[in-house]
Amino acid sequence: MGSTSHSKGRLNRALGELSLDVPFALVIVVASSLVAALGVVPTVQALVGLPVLLFLPGYALLLALFPAGSSDAPTEGPSFGRFEWQPNLSLTERLALAFGMSVALLPVVGLTLLWTGVGLDTAPVLLALAAVIVVGLAVGEARRQRLPEAERFRVPIRRWYADVVRSFDQPSRVDSFLNVALAFAVIVAGASLGYALVAPGTGESYSSLSLLTQDAGGEFVAADYPEALTVGEQTSLFVSVENVEGEATSYTLVAELQRVERANGEVTVVERQVLGSRTETVEDGETWRTRHNFAPALTGEDLRLTYFLYEGDAPAEPSTETAYRSAYVWVTVTEEPTAGGADDAGDDA
């Protein structure tokens, strides 16, 4: 019984001597793993995971290498027998180096995962970084406990808290109010900066319209468009619409064969044949590809085969000015050859 009580006493004493930075860092590591495993919204994942990526690995490595705090006393040179050299790293320098070392460790961890064939998925990357952090913290805390208490590096959380409480305990109400306002402004600024760093950007929203053909291998290419068509003969062309609008969008696609005139740099449609229209709802990030079969009725050279894309409904007379997107190719349409014509008779003769 006495042995058990003695063991519990040593455990409580060890936990009491444990610096607050170690359990706080371990809580962040566990929290980042949980939000990644549970599939929480990306913003929360980024807020919790950002320290694991950009701060804690370097902080743990620095703690393992330099467990002593800064001191005004001159430092001795390195002792290779016991490796007792301790540099005078201030808290600001340690925090800056932690960020830099974390950034430098990321490609090392990534290359190691690629070399071992694990890959760069979220789970193995988090596991590898968590291993670096836990090992670094364990080694750093063990080395820190071996130092005299006055020489150990500690994050002065308690002193910061006392200073904050003391700053609000002012005899003047104006000073107290100004301190509260300053603290609130710092919190809002920090939260805004953190959200700006980790919040998913909206990026550019757009839709793309492409005219495609299919080559001999079955691949879709933006080339080899039909140029010579015959009246009444079925012709096919593939139309591709990509939605990067950030939400599901309803599109209306209209196809026309147009006879146009050019004058003074302007193009005027003088005759048109509607070749069909279709409405389709496309999810964000998806591509809608459809095969359009049509038979031209207009004849002539340099006819414009035009496709108009609208969000929502299309107007009665679509145009390149009103369309959200448009694409066209130039074609020549000729009359269908007449069987048994004069040429055939001449050849028989």
Side-chain angles (χ1 to χ4, degrees):
M1 194 68 163
S3 177
T4 303
S5 300
H6 184 64
S7 299
K8 288 183 177 179
R10 287 192 301 175
L11 178 61
N12 292 333
R13 185 166 57 255
L15 292 176
E17 294 176 353
L18 190 66
S19 300
L20 294 179
D21 54 349
V22 172
F24 186 72
L26 293 177
V27 167
I28 295 179
V29 171
V30 173
S32 65
S33 303
L34 287 177
V35 297
L38 297 177
V40 185
V41 293
T43 302
V44 176
Q45 292 187 30
L47 284 171
V48 178
L50 199 63
V52 176
L53 292 175
L54 300 180
F55 180 74
L56 290 181
Y59 182 86
L61 185 58
L62 281 173
L63 183 62
L65 294 175
F66 312 119
S70 60
S71 173
D72 295 333
T75 58
E76 299 180 357
S79 174
F80 296 100
R82 298 179 56 191
F83 191 61
E84 294 296 336
W85 170 61
Q86 304 295 342
N88 284 326
L89 282 181
S90 66
L91 180 60
T92 304
E93 293 170 337
R94 188 178 290 264
L95 296 180
L97 285 173
F99 173 76
M101 293 185 69
S102 298
V103 174
L105 281 173
L106 284 178
V108 176
V109 172
L111 290 175
T112 303
L113 293 176
L114 290 176
W115 181 72
T116 56
V118 177
L120 296 179
D121 294 333
T122 303
V125 171
L126 278 178
L127 185 61
L129 291 175
V132 172
I133 295 170
V134 171
V135 171
L137 292 176
V139 174
E141 185 62 25
R143 295 194 64 211
R144 180 161 56 182
Q145 294 297 330
R146 293 176 56 187
L147 296 173
E149 187 171 358
E151 298 180 8
R152 298 173 187 173
F153 164 72
R154 295 185 184 278
V155 180
I157 298 178
R158 294 183 179 88
R159 179 168 59 82
W160 291 346
Y161 176 76
D163 291 342
V164 170
V165 173
R166 193 180 305 110
S167 66
F168 291 114
D169 189 17
Q170 298 290 339
S172 172
R173 292 182 177 272
V174 176
D175 292 340
S176 299
F177 176 77
L178 291 177
N179 288 330
V180 172
L182 178 61
F184 179 76
V186 171
I187 293 174
V188 171
S192 302
L193 178 60
Y195 182 80
L197 290 174
V198 302
T202 55
E204 182 183 3
S205 300
Y206 66 92
S207 299
S208 64
L209 174 64
S210 304
L211 304 181
L212 307 172
T213 59
Q214 206 167 14
D215 60 14
E219 298 291 332
F220 291 99
V221 294
D224 301 326
Y225 299 114
E227 297 180 354
L229 309 181
T230 303
V231 170
E233 182 178 331
Q234 286 287 330
T235 304
S236 297
L237 198 62
F238 291 92
V239 184
S240 178
V241 177
E242 182 183 8
N243 178 12
V244 197
E245 299 289 347
E247 59 182 0
T249 306
S250 177
Y251 297 102
T252 299
L253 183 66
V254 181
E256 285 189 351
L257 183 62
Q258 302 172 336
R259 192 189 312 279
V260 298
E261 290 182 353
R262 301 182 183 88
N264 300 325
E266 296 183 357
V267 179
T268 305
V269 178
V270 296
E271 189 177 3
R272 69 181 70 207
Q273 174 195 355
V274 178
L275 300 177
S277 64
R278 182 175 174 182
T279 300
E280 186 79 13
T281 299
V282 183
E283 297 296 328
D284 178 46
E286 299 292 330
T287 298
W288 168 41
R289 185 177 292 120
T290 181
R291 180 172 182 170
H292 180 221
N293 299 317
F294 62 94
L298 297 180
T299 60
E301 297 181 353
D302 292 336
L303 299 180
R304 192 170 68 178
L305 176 60
T306 309
Y307 290 83
F308 303 101
L309 183 68
Y310 289 88
E311 290 184 324
D313 298 329
E317 289 193 1
S319 65
T320 55
E321 289 77 16
T322 61
Y324 179 43
R325 294 287 185 269
S326 64
Y328 60 87
V329 294
W330 298 101
V331 296
T332 297
V333 183
T334 58
E335 293 285 352
E336 184 177 359
T338 303
D343 292 340
D344 293 338
D347 292 337
D348 292 340

